[in-house]
Amino acid sequence: MSELSAETGVSTASLKFYLRESLLEPGVPRTRTQADYGPAHVERVRLIRALVESGGLSLAQVRRVIDALDSPTVPRHELLGVAQDALADGTAYDEDPDWTATAVAFVEHRDWRIRDGDVLLPQLGSQLKALAETCDVGSTSTLDRWADAAEGIAAGDLDTLTDDDEQALRTAIVGTVLSDRVLQTLRRLAQQNLTATLLERATEAERQTNRPGPDSLR
């Protein structure tokens, strides 16, 4: 186990916890106190670490992800649905029927095909309500721009799925978890870039305005 710890960078205490919680399969016993761990164990430990540290998942969510990955092959058209179910985070929110209706109306406006009773709809409604109550960025035109970007990202997600169903399921679940954080970071970086660009343009425009003309030199 000490070698598994050194290979993965995860403490032996954490590895023992993963074993107790059945997140990690036991090694092949060698003696009463020693067991052999192979590449599959290294891969699983790295997956758990990535989901917790980079993906920000709770251990309960990690368990659902692993259960989904270890489950029988699911139809390809259900892969992302399985991923979403595994990643349901149980975030507390106050469901407001009126705002849920607003969310439903928006996805209908987008002609999106969403599962009946999907928990994401009241969750979106709660998020839209919070936006409306705190800042003025929740207009339909703004949401449409966000939705356009989301459609492009979703198309990219589907493009990453390989013909291997097992690998495709792993990509659908793990890729969604880790790329959510990447997208969040890219958004922050893009905001910085656009802000800097706008400031540069404003500074240049002011410089041009204040530049002495021919008459001022006489």
Side-chain angles (χ1 to χ4, degrees):
M1 182 171 290
S2 61
E3 293 179 1
L4 180 61
S5 174
E7 180 70 20
T8 60
V10 175
S11 69
T12 56
S14 293
L15 293 176
K16 290 178 181 179
F17 177 75
Y18 295 163
L19 287 168
R20 288 196 303 271
E21 295 296 313
S22 299
L23 297 174
L24 181 66
E25 291 292 326
V28 179
R30 292 179 59 186
T31 67
R32 189 174 63 84
T33 59
Q34 290 185 321
D36 287 330
Y37 296 92
H41 292 93
V42 173
E43 181 181 5
R44 176 56 57 88
V45 171
R46 286 176 174 167
L47 171 62
I48 296 171
R49 182 178 184 182
L51 292 174
V52 172
E53 295 183 5
S54 297
L57 299 191
S58 67
L59 287 180
Q61 290 173 291
V62 171
R63 184 185 302 282
R64 288 200 298 271
V65 168
I66 289 176
D67 287 345
L69 293 175
D70 290 342
S71 67
T73 301
V74 297
R76 290 185 66 81
H77 69 277
E78 296 180 8
L79 286 176
L80 292 179
V82 170
Q84 291 183 3
D85 291 340
L87 299 176
D89 60 10
T91 299
Y93 60 88
D94 294 326
E95 181 175 352
D96 184 312
D98 291 337
W99 281 97
T100 297
T102 298
V104 171
F106 180 73
V107 298
E108 289 178 348
H109 153 73
R110 297 290 302 189
D111 289 328
W112 284 359
R113 301 175 184 179
I114 307 301
R115 293 176 295 184
D116 290 339
D118 196 300
V119 68
L120 293 176
L121 293 173
Q123 186 170 321
L124 175 60
S126 176
Q127 293 162 347
L128 294 177
K129 179 181 179 181
L131 275 175
E133 291 177 346
T134 57
C135 53
D136 187 22
V137 295
S139 67
T140 300
S141 61
T142 299
L143 288 178
D144 273 325
R145 294 182 67 181
W146 289 345
D148 289 341
E151 286 182 351
I153 292 168
D157 291 338
L158 291 175
D159 287 342
T160 65
L161 302 183
T162 67
D163 293 334
D164 182 300
D165 286 343
E166 183 177 346
Q167 183 59 39
L169 179 60
R170 181 185 178 90
T171 299
I173 296 178
V174 180
T176 297
V177 173
L178 300 184
S179 65
D180 275 351
R181 293 302 181 93
V182 173
L183 291 169
Q184 184 182 73
T185 302
L186 286 174
R187 182 186 188 184
R188 305 289 191 273
L189 292 171
Q191 288 174 340
Q192 287 189 41
N193 173 63
L194 288 176
T195 300
T197 299
L198 291 173
L199 177 61
E200 183 178 289
R201 290 175 180 172
T203 300
E204 179 61 24
E206 183 177 0
R207 184 182 300 114
Q208 293 292 336
T209 300
N210 295 331
R211 177 176 297 175
D215 292 340
S216 66
L217 298 178
R218 296 175 183 174

